[in-house]
Amino acid sequence: MGSLFRSEDMTLCQLFLQSEAAYACVSELGEKFVNEVRRCDEMERKLRFLEKEIKKDGIPMLDTGDNPDAPQPREMIDLEATFEKLESEMNDVNANSEALKKNFLELTELKHILRKTQTFFDEAEHHHIQAIHEPLGTDDALGLLGEEIGRGATQAHKLGFVAGVILRERIPAFERMLWRVCRGNVFLKQAEIDTPLEDPVTGDKVDKTVFIIFFQGEQLKSRVKKICEGFRATLYPCPETQAERREMAIGVMTRIEDLNTVLGQTQDHRHRLLVAAAKNIKVWFIKVRKIKAIYHMLNMFNLDVTQKCLIAECWCPVGDLDRIQQALQRGNERSGSSVPSILNPPWTIISFPFLFAIMFGDTGHGLIMFLFALFLVLKEKQLAAKMAGSEIMGMIFGGRYIILMMGAFSMYTGLIYNDTFSKSIKIFDSAWRPGLNEYNSSAMDLSNYRINPAYATNGPYPLGLDPIWAMSINKITITNSLKMKISVIFGVAHMLFGLSLSLLNHMHNKKPLNIYFEFIPQLIFLCAIFGYLILLIFVKWLKFDHTQTGQAPNLLIGLIGMFLFQYESPCKPRTCWYTGQQGFQTFLVLVAVLCIPCMLVIKPYLLRKQNIQGKPHEYRLLNGETTDAPEVIHHEDEELIGSIEDDVEEKY
């Protein structure tokens, strides 16, 4: 495998899988099917629901660390049925448990109301008896609605009341609202419930308070009930007589005991279900996620024309090709398919589109190429069957992605060259302005019009080539020279980059022979010829300005003369770059020529010598077994040879 500083050798492959073996093959590889993915999502949702319930009850989930194999497609139905049954049972248990807890909460609140209201009425009875034996007239003796207690007591049967339970934190606001709406004509008595009660929905513990409100008249009763409803208070029926309250309390206690028994049985059943699920939920999660991953990968495959074969392209390490083939074979065996799956590594090229665009730079033609390839890419599923029957169109269709990149790069280089269908486009204003002395109506001859770059007054053109060059008769010479030089520079730079990568690979693979007799000769050959040419290109760009363009040596003529050893004597400025050019260029050519036998003769000779010295001779028999080669004996003595021949004649 690769490391942090070195990537693994990769290759682009094509997979051809039979439909019946596709699932098993992808499963073996490491794990067009939208419905199956949705089914997996649904199973994951059910498992997350069970996991949440298990964690809520604090049940430990068994994790053995096992990595089960991806289940077969038919096992997916069994898993779905199991999860559906567990979820249905858990929903029923939760619904029943919530209903029982809600009923239990209501009975518990009613129990506290009966107890607290009995205390309220006992206190009122005590105050009533005390008021009979004590004189009236003080402010403390005033009863409800400003009446005296003695006179109000005789009319107690005319007062109505409601009792209920409310959250403790709502009591202050509840009291203020009652006072304001009823204008002080109600009497509120409250008592806190000591034990927190459990909310049947959330399961949280909440503090509540019992209250009883006394009032007179139906109008106040309606207002009080609306206020209780607004504050989410729960009202319960409360008998007026002590005997009825005692009888109701006994019935409530009996029902609470029965509910406790039923709740216990419900919780035991819920616990058993969750314990059974906790033993397998980790394994279930792994299986469902593997199934989902497999179907997600299968969605990336394309169906062939016969709808019986799935085809996909993938990148895989070169060193793992054998393991991948073995995995595909195991997948075929698991599925029982008689047709083997195929792993085919095709050839690919990446840098070609950009190098092509440097030479083919034209925005218009590049746009046509780009749109054509984009159409093939977007409609590839519909066109795959039609293109398969045509050899030429099939070849073009197979290279649609490379053509797409070629078109995109060609549009970019076309902008740089300012070339659209071989015409220049004025995107920005030209940076060139004609000189009044040289360019005027009398001196201008459009048939022989040459641009003098010295009259560029606004700096360089913002993007690419200035469109003013389209008016010059030397346009083709200028543009072709520019394209050729840029192509040579990028091409040689690309080759140097590839050579540098080969050096890293030779060092990594510990092959010094490849470094000394392959990399170094290649580098010297490339730099002696093409590197020297690039150096001359930059020298020409930097040394000669627009006023000396006619005096600069010709690169192409100079390179041809370099190989033919043709030089003018004496050296002239239009053909000579520097003093000693002839000797130096002759030296470069000789060095480049000497590098050829180093690569083609010395390295093969050394490899053959290592092969002869390092490996013994073997013979391979017809049955596939190998045996050592018989020892070769060299006899120089003719007498010894004759004696051996005599021995052979005596035996036969």
Side-chain angles (χ1 to χ4, degrees), residues 188-209:
L188 172 67
K189 191 70 175 178
Q190 59 176 317
E192 296 181 354
I193 300 176
D194 300 331
T195 306
L197 304 179
E198 180 182 355
D199 191 309
V201 178
T202 63
D204 299 331
K205 297 292 184 179
V206 293
D207 295 321
K208 292 191 175 184
T209 298

Side-chain angles (χ1 to χ4, degrees), residues 27-39:
S27 171
E28 289 293 336
L29 287 174
E31 326 243 2
K32 209 152 183 195
F33 307 167
V34 177
N35 293 332
E36 284 77 2
V37 173
R38 290 177 180 173
R39 290 165 60 189

Side-chain angles (χ1 to χ4, degrees), residues 110 114 117 121 161 237-246 248:
L110 181 57
L114 294 175
T117 53
F121 285 114
F161 66 90
C238 183
E240 296 183 358
T241 63
Q242 183 177 1
E244 291 177 347
R245 289 195 293 271
R246 186 179 297 108
M248 180 179 284

Side-chain angles (χ1 to χ4, degrees), residues 289-552:
R289 286 168 181 168
K290 282 190 175 183
I291 295 174
K292 184 178 179 181
I294 292 172
Y295 281 121
H296 179 70
M297 290 184 66
L298 288 175
N299 273 333
M300 301 180 185
F301 282 69
N302 296 320
L303 283 172
D304 72 335
V305 183
T306 61
Q307 304 290 316
K308 295 181 180 179
C309 180
L310 296 173
I311 303 175
E313 291 185 350
C314 61
W315 285 98
C316 57
V318 176
D320 290 343
L321 285 177
D322 293 337
R323 295 174 54 193
I324 296 173
Q325 294 282 11
Q326 295 173 3
L328 293 176
Q329 185 177 359
R330 291 195 303 269
N332 285 329
E333 293 174 355
R334 286 178 55 187
S335 63
S337 175
S338 58
V339 181
S341 299
I342 301 172
L343 180 67
N344 177 30
W347 295 96
T348 183
I349 189 166
I350 298 300
S351 58
F352 171 75
F354 184 70
L355 297 178
F356 165 84
I358 294 177
M359 297 177 287
F360 185 74
D362 189 293
T363 305
H365 293 100
L367 179 62
I368 295 175
M369 184 183 300
F370 178 82
L371 294 178
F372 173 70
L374 183 64
F375 172 76
L376 296 180
V377 170
L378 296 179
K379 299 292 184 179
E380 58 182 2
K381 292 184 178 180
Q382 296 89 329
L383 297 175
K386 299 179 181 178
M387 296 296 182
S390 174
E391 181 178 358
I392 297 178
M393 292 304 298
M395 180 177 60
I396 296 176
F397 182 75
R400 58 192 179 278
Y401 290 101
I402 291 182
I403 298 175
L404 183 71
M405 291 188 292
M406 289 164 56
F409 286 134
S410 296
M411 288 191 293
Y412 168 74
T413 54
L415 288 175
I416 299 299
Y417 299 153
N418 199 350
D419 205 354
T420 303
F421 296 113
S422 300
K423 296 291 183 181
S424 296
I425 298 178
K426 182 182 177 183
I427 303 176
F428 306 99
D429 289 337
S430 174
W432 184 84
R433 294 293 182 270
L436 297 179
N437 297 329
E438 183 176 355
Y439 297 97
N440 50 55
S441 57
S442 60
M444 288 178 60
D445 182 8
L446 296 180
S447 62
N448 190 22
Y449 194 83
R450 291 179 180 271
I451 297 297
N452 188 351
Y455 295 101
T457 58
N458 298 331
Y461 192 68
L463 178 64
L465 196 65
D466 197 316
I468 196 64
W469 283 102
M471 300 176 60
S472 177
I473 63 170
N474 58 343
K475 172 192 174 183
I476 296 179
T477 304
I478 295 296
T479 55
N480 287 352
S481 176
L482 175 65
K483 295 177 183 180
M484 181 192 70
K485 293 172 183 177
I486 293 178
S487 301
V488 170
I489 292 172
F490 275 97
V492 175
H494 185 265
M495 289 189 286
L496 285 174
F497 177 71
L499 275 179
S500 62
L501 295 181
S502 68
L503 174 63
L504 297 178
N505 290 331
H506 296 331
M507 295 172 62
H508 175 73
N509 297 327
K510 298 179 180 180
K511 295 182 178 180
L513 187 64
N514 291 351
I515 297 176
Y516 297 128
F517 297 102
E518 182 177 331
F519 168 74
I520 294 178
Q522 288 177 352
L523 182 63
I524 295 175
F525 183 88
L526 184 63
C527 293
I529 304 300
F530 299 102
Y532 178 69
L533 176 62
I534 292 177
L535 182 63
L536 293 181
I537 291 174
F538 282 100
V539 169
K540 186 174 182 179
W541 281 345
L542 298 175
K543 183 178 179 180
F544 300 95
D545 59 12
H546 63 279
T547 61
Q548 301 172 326
T549 53
Q551 304 173 8

